[in-house]
Amino acid sequence: DVKYDWAGALAKRTTIDMIVLHHADASSCTAKDVHWWHIKNGWSGIGYHYFIDKQGAIFKGRPDNIIGSHAKGFNSTSIGICFEGNFEKEVPPQVQIDAGLELVAYLKKQYGISKVQGHGDLMATACPGKCFPMERFIGAKENSYYHFKEQP
């Protein structure tokens, strides 16, 4: 678990109907790095709800019941997941993909979500990158992977 010092208030939400996938656009970074980058952008802190590193570790960002800051116009009803890497230039490691599929399956079941989008499907951006296997995440079915368990 990562502890964050939030730079501003976080707003609660009542609806979750979509998962939005992102890459960090950095070959090497941590959830804390992303948190500080987002504060420098003038946000309250990490805009994603989850961050998955290249070793497949899943880190919590914003709480699920808090509005994110990751896809303008879609933040109030979506969960944002960011993957360490720049998938315009590199292919994500299999362990990272597996962790992402596991998390997406868990979130779909937890919140009754059926829609999974790439950031670039919603806005003019290449995110999550041409090397990211988006079709695998769109087609992922609940119960297809081990369930994600939050750390105590």
Side-chain angles (χ1 to χ4, degrees), residues 109-144:
K109 182 173 184 183
Q110 182 74 12
Y111 298 110
I113 299 169
S114 60
K115 193 172 192 178
V116 179
Q117 300 274 280
H119 187 201
D121 296 327
L122 304 173
M123 306 178 76
T125 177
C127 180
K130 64 186 174 195
C131 300
F132 188 81
M134 193 64 216
E135 66 287 343
R136 291 191 60 198
F137 287 88
I138 291 170
K141 295 186 177 162
E142 296 86 4
N143 301 318
S144 296

mmCIF file of all heavy atoms in Angstrom, residues 109-144:
data_model
loop_
_atom_site.group_PDB
_atom_site.id
_atom_site.type_symbol
_atom_site.label_atom_id
_atom_site.label_comp_id
_atom_site.label_asym_id
_atom_site.label_seq_id
_atom_site.Cartn_x
_atom_site.Cartn_y
_atom_site.Cartn_z
ATOM 1 N N LYS A 109 -16.423 -7.669 -11.943
ATOM 2 C CA LYS A 109 -17.334 -8.414 -11.070
ATOM 3 C C LYS A 109 -17.770 -7.564 -9.882
ATOM 4 O O LYS A 109 -18.951 -7.529 -9.537
ATOM 5 C CB LYS A 109 -16.669 -9.694 -10.577
ATOM 6 C CG LYS A 109 -17.593 -10.520 -9.719
ATOM 7 C CD LYS A 109 -17.032 -11.849 -9.371
ATOM 8 C CE LYS A 109 -18.094 -12.600 -8.589
ATOM 9 N NZ LYS A 109 -17.674 -13.871 -8.139
ATOM 10 N N GLN A 110 -16.838 -6.866 -9.267
ATOM 11 C CA GLN A 110 -17.124 -6.063 -8.075
ATOM 12 C C GLN A 110 -18.173 -4.985 -8.333
ATOM 13 O O GLN A 110 -19.047 -4.748 -7.511
ATOM 14 C CB GLN A 110 -15.816 -5.415 -7.585
ATOM 15 C CG GLN A 110 -15.940 -4.594 -6.333
ATOM 16 C CD GLN A 110 -16.098 -5.427 -5.082
ATOM 17 O OE1 GLN A 110 -15.895 -6.641 -5.078
ATOM 18 N NE2 GLN A 110 -16.503 -4.786 -4.008
ATOM 19 N N TYR A 111 -18.092 -4.334 -9.497
ATOM 20 C CA TYR A 111 -18.967 -3.192 -9.780
ATOM 21 C C TYR A 111 -19.954 -3.428 -10.927
ATOM 22 O O TYR A 111 -20.672 -2.504 -11.311
ATOM 23 C CB TYR A 111 -18.111 -1.952 -10.080
ATOM 24 C CG TYR A 111 -17.268 -1.552 -8.899
ATOM 25 C CD1 TYR A 111 -15.886 -1.713 -8.925
ATOM 26 C CD2 TYR A 111 -17.846 -1.048 -7.737
ATOM 27 C CE1 TYR A 111 -15.111 -1.361 -7.827
ATOM 28 C CE2 TYR A 111 -17.080 -0.695 -6.640
ATOM 29 C CZ TYR A 111 -15.711 -0.858 -6.692
ATOM 30 O OH TYR A 111 -14.950 -0.515 -5.601
ATOM 31 N N GLY A 112 -19.996 -4.634 -11.476
ATOM 32 C CA GLY A 112 -20.924 -4.926 -12.569
ATOM 33 C C GLY A 112 -20.590 -4.144 -13.831
ATOM 34 O O GLY A 112 -21.479 -3.749 -14.587
ATOM 35 N N ILE A 113 -19.305 -3.932 -14.069
ATOM 36 C CA ILE A 113 -18.836 -3.158 -15.218
ATOM 37 C C ILE A 113 -18.693 -4.078 -16.432
ATOM 38 O O ILE A 113 -18.166 -5.176 -16.314
ATOM 39 C CB ILE A 113 -17.471 -2.501 -14.918
ATOM 40 C CG1 ILE A 113 -17.585 -1.541 -13.739
ATOM 41 C CG2 ILE A 113 -16.909 -1.791 -16.142
ATOM 42 C CD1 ILE A 113 -16.244 -1.057 -13.212
ATOM 43 N N SER A 114 -19.119 -3.611 -17.579
ATOM 44 C CA SER A 114 -18.888 -4.375 -18.800
ATOM 45 C C SER A 114 -17.997 -3.619 -19.782
ATOM 46 O O SER A 114 -17.415 -4.211 -20.679
ATOM 47 C CB SER A 114 -20.220 -4.737 -19.469
ATOM 48 O OG SER A 114 -20.924 -3.571 -19.803
ATOM 49 N N LYS A 115 -17.872 -2.315 -19.617
ATOM 50 C CA LYS A 115 -17.153 -1.483 -20.582
ATOM 51 C C LYS A 115 -15.714 -1.216 -20.128
ATOM 52 O O LYS A 115 -15.480 -0.678 -19.054
ATOM 53 C CB LYS A 115 -17.894 -0.158 -20.742
ATOM 54 C CG LYS A 115 -17.456 0.657 -21.917
ATOM 55 C CD LYS A 115 -18.391 1.854 -22.075
ATOM 56 C CE LYS A 115 -18.190 2.538 -23.380
ATOM 57 N NZ LYS A 115 -19.106 3.646 -23.562
ATOM 58 N N VAL A 116 -14.766 -1.584 -21.004
ATOM 59 C CA VAL A 116 -13.339 -1.314 -20.788
ATOM 60 C C VAL A 116 -12.844 -0.546 -22.000
ATOM 61 O O VAL A 116 -13.025 -0.999 -23.136
ATOM 62 C CB VAL A 116 -12.534 -2.620 -20.610
ATOM 63 C CG1 VAL A 116 -11.055 -2.322 -20.401
ATOM 64 C CG2 VAL A 116 -13.084 -3.450 -19.457
ATOM 65 N N GLN A 117 -12.257 0.609 -21.773
ATOM 66 C CA GLN A 117 -11.802 1.480 -22.860
ATOM 67 C C GLN A 117 -10.337 1.846 -22.651
ATOM 68 O O GLN A 117 -9.867 1.929 -21.508
ATOM 69 C CB GLN A 117 -12.601 2.783 -22.857
ATOM 70 C CG GLN A 117 -14.091 2.611 -23.036
ATOM 71 C CD GLN A 117 -14.479 2.541 -24.484
ATOM 72 O OE1 GLN A 117 -14.591 3.543 -25.152
ATOM 73 N NE2 GLN A 117 -14.673 1.336 -24.970
ATOM 74 N N GLY A 118 -9.650 2.103 -23.739
ATOM 75 C CA GLY A 118 -8.337 2.710 -23.659
ATOM 76 C C GLY A 118 -8.526 4.217 -23.592
ATOM 77 O O GLY A 118 -9.527 4.752 -24.093
ATOM 78 N N HIS A 119 -7.605 4.898 -22.976
ATOM 79 C CA HIS A 119 -7.674 6.361 -22.875
ATOM 80 C C HIS A 119 -7.877 6.983 -24.261
ATOM 81 O O HIS A 119 -8.673 7.894 -24.439
ATOM 82 C CB HIS A 119 -6.386 6.857 -22.209
ATOM 83 C CG HIS A 119 -6.363 8.300 -21.879
ATOM 84 N ND1 HIS A 119 -5.179 8.965 -21.691
ATOM 85 C CD2 HIS A 119 -7.338 9.220 -21.681
ATOM 86 C CE1 HIS A 119 -5.429 10.231 -21.394
ATOM 87 N NE2 HIS A 119 -6.733 10.412 -21.381
ATOM 88 N N GLY A 120 -7.173 6.442 -25.258
ATOM 89 C CA GLY A 120 -7.268 6.952 -26.626
ATOM 90 C C GLY A 120 -8.610 6.711 -27.295
ATOM 91 O O GLY A 120 -8.907 7.318 -28.324
ATOM 92 N N ASP A 121 -9.431 5.827 -26.736
ATOM 93 C CA ASP A 121 -10.783 5.623 -27.260
ATOM 94 C C ASP A 121 -11.712 6.768 -26.850
ATOM 95 O O ASP A 121 -12.773 6.944 -27.438
ATOM 96 C CB ASP A 121 -11.377 4.310 -26.745
ATOM 97 C CG ASP A 121 -10.627 3.094 -27.230
ATOM 98 O OD1 ASP A 121 -10.099 3.128 -28.360
ATOM 99 O OD2 ASP A 121 -10.545 2.104 -26.461
ATOM 100 N N LEU A 122 -11.299 7.520 -25.839
ATOM 101 C CA LEU A 122 -12.139 8.573 -25.285
ATOM 102 C C LEU A 122 -11.640 9.977 -25.600
ATOM 103 O O LEU A 122 -12.406 10.929 -25.537
ATOM 104 C CB LEU A 122 -12.212 8.415 -23.754
ATOM 105 C CG LEU A 122 -12.695 7.057 -23.260
ATOM 106 C CD1 LEU A 122 -12.555 6.971 -21.758
ATOM 107 C CD2 LEU A 122 -14.127 6.803 -23.699
ATOM 108 N N MET A 123 -10.357 10.084 -25.895
ATOM 109 C CA MET A 123 -9.734 11.383 -26.123
ATOM 110 C C MET A 123 -8.679 11.260 -27.210
ATOM 111 O O MET A 123 -8.254 10.161 -27.537
ATOM 112 C CB MET A 123 -9.080 11.888 -24.831
ATOM 113 C CG MET A 123 -10.017 11.936 -23.646
ATOM 114 S SD MET A 123 -9.204 12.485 -22.154
ATOM 115 C CE MET A 123 -9.096 14.222 -22.510
ATOM 116 N N ALA A 124 -8.210 12.383 -27.721
ATOM 117 C CA ALA A 124 -7.180 12.388 -28.761
ATOM 118 C C ALA A 124 -5.806 12.163 -28.130
ATOM 119 O O ALA A 124 -5.091 13.100 -27.805
ATOM 120 C CB ALA A 124 -7.213 13.704 -29.522
ATOM 121 N N THR A 125 -5.470 10.894 -27.918
ATOM 122 C CA THR A 125 -4.183 10.505 -27.355
ATOM 123 C C THR A 125 -3.846 9.104 -27.852
ATOM 124 O O THR A 125 -4.751 8.334 -28.192
ATOM 125 C CB THR A 125 -4.199 10.538 -25.809
ATOM 126 O OG1 THR A 125 -2.940 10.077 -25.316
ATOM 127 C CG2 THR A 125 -5.294 9.664 -25.230
ATOM 128 N N ALA A 126 -2.578 8.761 -27.877
ATOM 129 C CA ALA A 126 -2.152 7.415 -28.269
ATOM 130 C C ALA A 126 -2.208 6.446 -27.089
ATOM 131 O O ALA A 126 -2.022 5.246 -27.263
ATOM 132 C CB ALA A 126 -0.729 7.464 -28.831
ATOM 133 N N CYS A 127 -2.474 6.935 -25.914
ATOM 134 C CA CYS A 127 -2.515 6.137 -24.685
ATOM 135 C C CYS A 127 -3.621 5.078 -24.766
ATOM 136 O O CYS A 127 -4.722 5.400 -25.193
ATOM 137 C CB CYS A 127 -2.746 7.081 -23.512
ATOM 138 S SG CYS A 127 -2.836 6.319 -21.900
ATOM 139 N N PRO A 128 -3.400 3.842 -24.406
ATOM 140 C CA PRO A 128 -2.242 3.255 -23.738
ATOM 141 C C PRO A 128 -1.123 2.773 -24.661
ATOM 142 O O PRO A 128 -0.249 2.024 -24.232
ATOM 143 C CB PRO A 128 -2.843 2.095 -22.956
ATOM 144 C CG PRO A 128 -3.987 1.628 -23.768
ATOM 145 C CD PRO A 128 -4.527 2.887 -24.419
ATOM 146 N N GLY A 129 -1.101 3.167 -25.892
ATOM 147 C CA GLY A 129 0.009 2.855 -26.785
ATOM 148 C C GLY A 129 -0.278 1.726 -27.754
ATOM 149 O O GLY A 129 -1.059 0.817 -27.473
ATOM 150 N N LYS A 130 0.376 1.787 -28.911
ATOM 151 C CA LYS A 130 0.143 0.808 -29.979
ATOM 152 C C LYS A 130 0.618 -0.596 -29.636
ATOM 153 O O LYS A 130 0.175 -1.570 -30.226
ATOM 154 C CB LYS A 130 0.793 1.282 -31.278
ATOM 155 C CG LYS A 130 2.300 1.382 -31.221
ATOM 156 C CD LYS A 130 2.871 1.986 -32.476
ATOM 157 C CE LYS A 130 4.372 2.203 -32.314
ATOM 158 N NZ LYS A 130 4.911 3.083 -33.319
ATOM 159 N N CYS A 131 1.518 -0.742 -28.666
ATOM 160 C CA CYS A 131 2.027 -2.061 -28.263
ATOM 161 C C CYS A 131 1.234 -2.667 -27.109
ATOM 162 O O CYS A 131 1.543 -3.764 -26.651
ATOM 163 C CB CYS A 131 3.500 -1.960 -27.875
ATOM 164 S SG CYS A 131 4.560 -1.379 -29.205
ATOM 165 N N PHE A 132 0.213 -1.971 -26.630
ATOM 166 C CA PHE A 132 -0.604 -2.468 -25.513
ATOM 167 C C PHE A 132 -1.707 -3.369 -26.067
ATOM 168 O O PHE A 132 -2.405 -2.975 -27.008
ATOM 169 C CB PHE A 132 -1.219 -1.294 -24.747
ATOM 170 C CG PHE A 132 -1.912 -1.695 -23.477
ATOM 171 C CD1 PHE A 132 -1.195 -1.929 -22.323
ATOM 172 C CD2 PHE A 132 -3.290 -1.846 -23.448
ATOM 173 C CE1 PHE A 132 -1.827 -2.301 -21.149
ATOM 174 C CE2 PHE A 132 -3.939 -2.221 -22.281
ATOM 175 C CZ PHE A 132 -3.214 -2.447 -21.127
ATOM 176 N N PRO A 133 -1.892 -4.563 -25.501
ATOM 177 C CA PRO A 133 -2.884 -5.521 -26.033
ATOM 178 C C PRO A 133 -4.320 -5.200 -25.602
ATOM 179 O O PRO A 133 -4.973 -5.971 -24.897
ATOM 180 C CB PRO A 133 -2.401 -6.851 -25.457
ATOM 181 C CG PRO A 133 -1.799 -6.477 -24.143
ATOM 182 C CD PRO A 133 -1.141 -5.137 -24.375
ATOM 183 N N MET A 134 -4.824 -4.072 -26.044
ATOM 184 C CA MET A 134 -6.138 -3.586 -25.614
ATOM 185 C C MET A 134 -7.245 -4.608 -25.829
ATOM 186 O O MET A 134 -8.114 -4.782 -24.983
ATOM 187 C CB MET A 134 -6.443 -2.280 -26.358
ATOM 188 C CG MET A 134 -7.594 -1.492 -25.815
ATOM 189 S SD MET A 134 -7.268 -0.907 -24.145
ATOM 190 C CE MET A 134 -8.919 -1.054 -23.484
ATOM 191 N N GLU A 135 -7.191 -5.321 -26.965
ATOM 192 C CA GLU A 135 -8.255 -6.286 -27.278
ATOM 193 C C GLU A 135 -8.371 -7.386 -26.223
ATOM 194 O O GLU A 135 -9.458 -7.892 -25.965
ATOM 195 C CB GLU A 135 -8.055 -6.897 -28.672
ATOM 196 C CG GLU A 135 -6.831 -7.767 -28.837
ATOM 197 C CD GLU A 135 -5.491 -7.014 -28.887
ATOM 198 O OE1 GLU A 135 -5.471 -5.793 -29.119
ATOM 199 O OE2 GLU A 135 -4.446 -7.664 -28.672
ATOM 200 N N ARG A 136 -7.274 -7.742 -25.584
ATOM 201 C CA ARG A 136 -7.326 -8.760 -24.524
ATOM 202 C C ARG A 136 -8.105 -8.245 -23.322
ATOM 203 O O ARG A 136 -8.804 -9.005 -22.655
ATOM 204 C CB ARG A 136 -5.921 -9.180 -24.092
ATOM 205 C CG ARG A 136 -5.227 -9.974 -25.194
ATOM 206 C CD ARG A 136 -3.969 -10.629 -24.750
ATOM 207 N NE ARG A 136 -4.201 -11.569 -23.676
ATOM 208 C CZ ARG A 136 -3.226 -12.016 -22.880
ATOM 209 N NH1 ARG A 136 -1.992 -11.614 -23.053
ATOM 210 N NH2 ARG A 136 -3.485 -12.864 -21.919
ATOM 211 N N PHE A 137 -8.003 -6.972 -23.038
ATOM 212 C CA PHE A 137 -8.692 -6.401 -21.882
ATOM 213 C C PHE A 137 -10.165 -6.172 -22.182
ATOM 214 O O PHE A 137 -11.013 -6.385 -21.322
ATOM 215 C CB PHE A 137 -8.008 -5.098 -21.456
ATOM 216 C CG PHE A 137 -6.698 -5.347 -20.784
ATOM 217 C CD1 PHE A 137 -5.532 -5.455 -21.524
ATOM 218 C CD2 PHE A 137 -6.626 -5.517 -19.415
ATOM 219 C CE1 PHE A 137 -4.313 -5.718 -20.910
ATOM 220 C CE2 PHE A 137 -5.418 -5.784 -18.789
ATOM 221 C CZ PHE A 137 -4.262 -5.880 -19.537
ATOM 222 N N ILE A 138 -10.483 -5.767 -23.385
ATOM 223 C CA ILE A 138 -11.877 -5.567 -23.766
ATOM 224 C C ILE A 138 -12.622 -6.894 -23.691
ATOM 225 O O ILE A 138 -13.747 -6.962 -23.220
ATOM 226 C CB ILE A 138 -11.977 -4.960 -25.178
ATOM 227 C CG1 ILE A 138 -11.453 -3.527 -25.151
ATOM 228 C CG2 ILE A 138 -13.411 -5.007 -25.696
ATOM 229 C CD1 ILE A 138 -11.269 -2.912 -26.520
ATOM 230 N N GLY A 139 -11.980 -7.966 -24.129
ATOM 231 C CA GLY A 139 -12.616 -9.278 -24.150
ATOM 232 C C GLY A 139 -12.493 -10.073 -22.869
ATOM 233 O O GLY A 139 -13.035 -11.170 -22.772
ATOM 234 N N ALA A 140 -11.794 -9.541 -21.863
ATOM 235 C CA ALA A 140 -11.624 -10.289 -20.602
ATOM 236 C C ALA A 140 -12.971 -10.518 -19.945
ATOM 237 O O ALA A 140 -13.811 -9.633 -19.897
ATOM 238 C CB ALA A 140 -10.697 -9.524 -19.663
ATOM 239 N N LYS A 141 -13.184 -11.728 -19.485
ATOM 240 C CA LYS A 141 -14.437 -12.076 -18.830
ATOM 241 C C LYS A 141 -14.225 -12.226 -17.337
ATOM 242 O O LYS A 141 -13.176 -12.664 -16.891
ATOM 243 C CB LYS A 141 -14.990 -13.379 -19.392
ATOM 244 C CG LYS A 141 -15.379 -13.241 -20.832
ATOM 245 C CD LYS A 141 -16.054 -14.468 -21.325
ATOM 246 C CE LYS A 141 -16.468 -14.190 -22.753
ATOM 247 N NZ LYS A 141 -16.762 -15.294 -23.539
ATOM 248 N N GLU A 142 -15.262 -11.870 -16.593
ATOM 249 C CA GLU A 142 -15.226 -12.053 -15.155
ATOM 250 C C GLU A 142 -14.914 -13.515 -14.854
ATOM 251 O O GLU A 142 -15.313 -14.414 -15.599
ATOM 252 C CB GLU A 142 -16.570 -11.689 -14.518
ATOM 253 C CG GLU A 142 -16.948 -10.243 -14.667
ATOM 254 C CD GLU A 142 -17.666 -9.944 -15.966
ATOM 255 O OE1 GLU A 142 -17.948 -10.851 -16.743
ATOM 256 O OE2 GLU A 142 -17.926 -8.768 -16.203
ATOM 257 N N ASN A 143 -14.222 -13.731 -13.786
ATOM 258 C CA ASN A 143 -13.848 -15.069 -13.324
ATOM 259 C C ASN A 143 -12.853 -15.765 -14.246
ATOM 260 O O ASN A 143 -12.620 -16.957 -14.109
ATOM 261 C CB ASN A 143 -15.079 -15.963 -13.118
ATOM 262 C CG ASN A 143 -16.031 -15.376 -12.112
ATOM 263 O OD1 ASN A 143 -15.605 -14.854 -11.083
ATOM 264 N ND2 ASN A 143 -17.307 -15.434 -12.402
ATOM 265 N N SER A 144 -12.260 -15.044 -15.204
ATOM 266 C CA SER A 144 -11.274 -15.650 -16.089
ATOM 267 C C SER A 144 -9.900 -15.713 -15.449
ATOM 268 O O SER A 144 -9.043 -16.460 -15.889
ATOM 269 C CB SER A 144 -11.156 -14.841 -17.382
ATOM 270 O OG SER A 144 -12.368 -14.876 -18.078
#
